[in-house]
């Protein structure tokens, strides 16, 4: 008998999650909520920066305000700020290529 003729059947179709995997899956929504709350506090801290400092990180005061207005209490407003900063960066690249 050759090695290629012998097959082993593995029952990999139904893997039961471990306790730590079930615990992590159960705590994921709570972790996400906590992260969003922590990011809201950090974004509030950005209001202490002056306009030049905000511009250095690619944001404006309007971005900070719209991040809070665009997201509900349970959503993370930092995603909106990230998009705003990236869009402003892309726009500045586009403008620099036009010159």
């Amino acid at each position: 008998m050759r090695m290629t003729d012998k097959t082993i059947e593995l029952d990999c179709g139904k893997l039961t999650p471990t306790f730590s995997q079930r615990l992590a899956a159960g705590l994921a929504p709570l972790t996400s909520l906590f992260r969003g709350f922590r990011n809201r506090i950090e974004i509030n801290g950005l209001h202490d920066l002056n306009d030049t400092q905000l511009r250095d990180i690619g944001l404006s005061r309007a971005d900070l305000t719209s991040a809070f207005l665009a997201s509900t209490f349970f959503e993370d407003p930092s995603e909106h700020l990230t998009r705003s900063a990236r869009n402003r960066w892309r726009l500045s690249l586009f403008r620099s290529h036009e010159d």
Side-chain angles (χ1 to χ4, degrees):
M1 176 177 0
R2 294 182 301 181
M3 210 44 178
T4 57
D5 294 337
K6 189 170 185 164
T7 60
I8 299 174
E9 296 212 16
L10 299 174
D11 188 20
C12 295
K14 287 187 173 183
L15 293 177
T16 58
T18 63
F19 174 74
S20 59
Q21 289 171 333
R22 288 190 307 241
L23 183 63
L27 292 178
L30 185 61
T31 304
S32 176
L33 183 66
F34 175 73
R35 185 181 306 114
F37 181 70
R38 185 186 65 216
N39 287 343
R40 282 183 174 276
I41 292 172
E42 293 297 323
I43 291 171
N44 262 340
L46 291 176
H47 283 287
D48 295 338
L49 300 177
N50 63 33
D51 291 337
T52 305
Q53 292 169 324
L54 285 173
R55 194 175 31 240
D56 283 344
I57 60 174
L59 296 173
S60 68
R61 296 232 176 261
D63 293 334
L64 299 177
T65 304
S66 66
F68 283 114
L69 294 176
S71 61
T72 66
F73 180 75
F74 297 105
E75 293 175 333
D76 190 356
S78 65
E79 295 172 6
H80 178 77
L81 286 180
T82 302
R83 275 194 308 273
S84 296
R86 284 184 182 156
N87 289 341
R88 185 165 288 113
W89 176 74
R90 287 181 187 128
L91 185 60
S92 70
L93 284 178
F94 179 73
R95 287 180 181 162
S96 68
H97 286 295
E98 286 181 343
D99 294 336

